[in-house]
Amino acid sequence: MKSLVLLLLVAVTVSSVLSKPLPEDSEAEVHKEFETWKVKYGKSYPSTEEEAKRKEMWLATRKRVMEHNMRAGNGLESFTMAVNHFADLYDEELCLLSQPRPEEEEVDREFEMWKTHNGKTYNSTEEEAKRKEIWLATRARVMEHNKRAENGSESFTMGMNSFSDMTSEEIPRGGLLVVFPSRDGGEEAEVDKEFETWKVQHGKSYGSTEEEAKRKEIWLATRARVMEHNKRAENGSESFTMGMNHLSDQTTAEVTGRRLQDGEETEVHKEFQTWKVKYGKTYPSPEEEAKRKEIWLATRKMVTEHNKRAENGLESYTLAVNHFADLTTQEVPRGLLPMVSYQHFKM
């Protein structure tokens, strides 16, 4: 009986929080806010009728943002929102703005070609959509890695393979160590030729034979690592393949040093630490902090991508992380009443 009473109390509390009305601003305050918004985004309308119509849309967007942020304040959302310069547009107008772009059509074609190349078929449209999401995530990871490789932050490049639509858990890991046989004279000559070709391709020259010998050893180690990885990829133990690039003759310390000079990792880490302090976040172990930072990074990425779309006119509001940004979707409390569904516009 005591448990039942406690559950009822929780239900009443959550219900009262969710049903709490929005704070009511005076008409003058709302009008002033609208005028400020117009000035900020350089808005002007050809007639008073058009302005009245646009103001109605702006008010509807504003209300949606405020309702979302109230839920965020009560722990029912993992991010906050804000209006932007598309807050006075109708759904139909946003739909027109969000028509598939050439690059999106290119990605769709790329996925279809990848499916054909790897003989991929799926049992349902839902399964295909799920697999495409994983494929897109793998593709994004490969592209980000290769961009770092172009900027000198990685010593090899990556590529997609037949396991790119599988999660890490689904990819079979195998149980045998990959061993490469020692090279005979003919094979050694082939490798030497490959090294010389690589040097010409990347304009490599060294100050002495000793320096070249040292750099070749590093290059050989990178090559072995790439080959081992690609063999695992062929056996289904990796979701992408790798290749050599112009940093393949540099040590990990040299490559890492260049990455740290870039400062991006340091800035993101500093941002995470600032966020922790702001919301009083502490974790019981380094492992737990690493786990929570991964979730925070995923939330941050979602917010960043959304806001980029907003800048390009594909969303009518912007997002920001809040104190629930290190929680999974399942962990964010959803309350006992149905959540409001908003129209989302595909890029």
Side-chain angles (χ1 to χ4, degrees):
M1 182 66 181
K2 185 176 181 181
S3 298
L4 178 60
V5 171
L6 182 58
L7 284 172
L8 287 172
L9 284 172
V10 171
V12 169
T13 302
V14 174
S15 177
S16 63
V17 166
L18 290 174
S19 60
K20 183 179 177 182
L22 290 169
E24 293 185 6
D25 296 324
S26 70
E27 193 173 334
E29 287 173 328
V30 174
H31 179 71
K32 183 179 177 183
E33 186 180 332
F34 178 62
E35 292 299 320
T36 303
W37 174 84
K38 280 169 54 188
V39 171
K40 180 178 179 181
Y41 293 111
K43 294 281 181 171
S44 61
Y45 305 104
S47 65
T48 52
E49 291 78 10
E50 179 67 17
E51 175 153 339
K53 169 182 156 186
R54 294 300 172 181
K55 185 176 181 180
E56 282 301 310
M57 285 308 305
W58 178 86
L59 286 168
T61 303
R62 176 181 181 271
K63 181 182 178 184
R64 183 172 59 162
V65 167
M66 290 176 70
E67 287 173 348
H68 176 97
N69 290 347
M70 179 169 277
R71 290 198 306 276
N74 292 326
L76 305 177
E77 299 287 351
S78 62
F79 53 85
T80 53
M81 304 197 311
V83 296
N84 72 356
H85 56 304
F86 292 97
D88 62 345
L89 297 184
Y90 285 89
D91 291 353
E92 296 79 8
E93 293 171 313
L94 285 170
C95 282
L96 288 174
L97 286 172
S98 61
Q99 291 300 313
R101 296 175 298 179
E103 56 264 38
E104 186 175 320
E105 293 174 356
E106 282 296 319
V107 172
D108 288 342
R109 278 197 293 271
E110 185 181 330
F111 179 62
E112 292 302 320
M113 289 173 63
W114 174 86
K115 280 168 55 187
T116 302
H117 179 72
N118 294 288
K120 293 283 181 171
T121 57
Y122 304 104
N123 297 328
S124 64
T125 51
E126 292 78 11
E127 178 67 15
E128 175 153 342
K130 172 187 170 185
R131 293 300 166 182
K132 186 176 181 181
E133 283 301 311
I134 299 169
W135 180 87
L136 286 167
T138 304
R139 180 180 181 272
R141 183 162 56 127
V142 167
M143 290 176 70
E144 286 169 2
H145 175 97
N146 290 346
K147 189 169 184 179
R148 292 197 303 273
E150 286 176 14
N151 294 329
S153 301
E154 300 288 351
S155 62
F156 53 86
T157 53
M158 295 181 176
M160 308 285 280
N161 72 356
S162 59
F163 296 93
S164 299
D165 62 345
M166 293 186 179
T167 63
S168 301
E169 294 75 19
E170 291 173 320
I171 297 171
R173 292 296 171 187
L176 296 177
L177 178 65
V178 179
V179 180
F180 287 93
S182 58
R183 302 191 299 272
D184 58 25
E187 186 179 353
E188 191 167 340
E190 282 298 317
V191 174
D192 288 343
K193 184 178 178 183
E194 185 182 330
F195 179 63
E196 292 300 320
T197 303
W198 174 86
K199 281 168 54 186
V200 171
Q201 182 184 356
H202 296 290
K204 294 283 182 171
S205 60
Y206 304 104
S208 64
T209 51
E210 291 78 9
E211 178 67 15
E212 176 154 339
K214 172 187 167 185
R215 292 301 167 182
K216 186 177 180 180
E217 282 301 311
I218 300 168
W219 179 88
L220 286 167
T222 303
R223 180 179 181 270
R225 182 161 58 128
V226 167
M227 290 176 68
E228 287 170 358
H229 176 98
N230 290 346
K231 182 138 187 177
R232 291 196 304 274
E234 286 176 14
N235 295 328
S237 301
E238 299 288 349
S239 63
F240 53 86
T241 53
M242 304 197 311
M244 308 285 280
N245 75 355
H246 60 298
L247 277 302
S248 298
D249 62 345
Q250 296 191 18
T251 64
T252 304
E254 289 171 321
V255 173
T256 303
R258 186 168 300 186
R259 183 190 301 125
L260 290 177
Q261 286 172 17
D262 183 46
E264 185 178 356
E265 267 186 58
T266 306
E267 282 302 314
V268 173
H269 179 70
K270 184 179 176 182
E271 186 181 330
F272 178 63
Q273 295 301 323
T274 302
W275 175 85
K276 278 170 56 187
V277 171
K278 179 179 179 180
Y279 293 110
K281 294 280 182 171
T282 57
Y283 305 103
S285 67
E287 294 74 23
E288 178 67 16
E289 174 152 341
K291 172 187 169 185
R292 294 301 166 183
K293 186 177 181 181
E294 282 301 310
I295 300 169
W296 179 86
L297 286 168
T299 303
R300 179 182 180 272
K301 182 181 178 185
M302 179 184 68
V303 167
T304 302
E305 289 173 351
H306 175 98
N307 290 345
K308 191 169 185 179
R309 292 196 304 273
E311 286 176 13
N312 293 328
L314 304 176
E315 301 287 351
S316 63
Y317 52 86
T318 53
L319 305 179
V321 296
N322 71 358
H323 56 304
F324 292 97
D326 62 344
L327 299 184
T328 64
T329 306
Q330 293 74 26
E331 291 172 319
V332 176
R334 293 294 173 186
L336 302 177
L337 295 178
M339 298 298 291
V340 178
S341 257
Y342 294 131
Q343 179 70 40
H344 294 281
F345 302 100
K346 186 181 177 186
M347 286 178 64

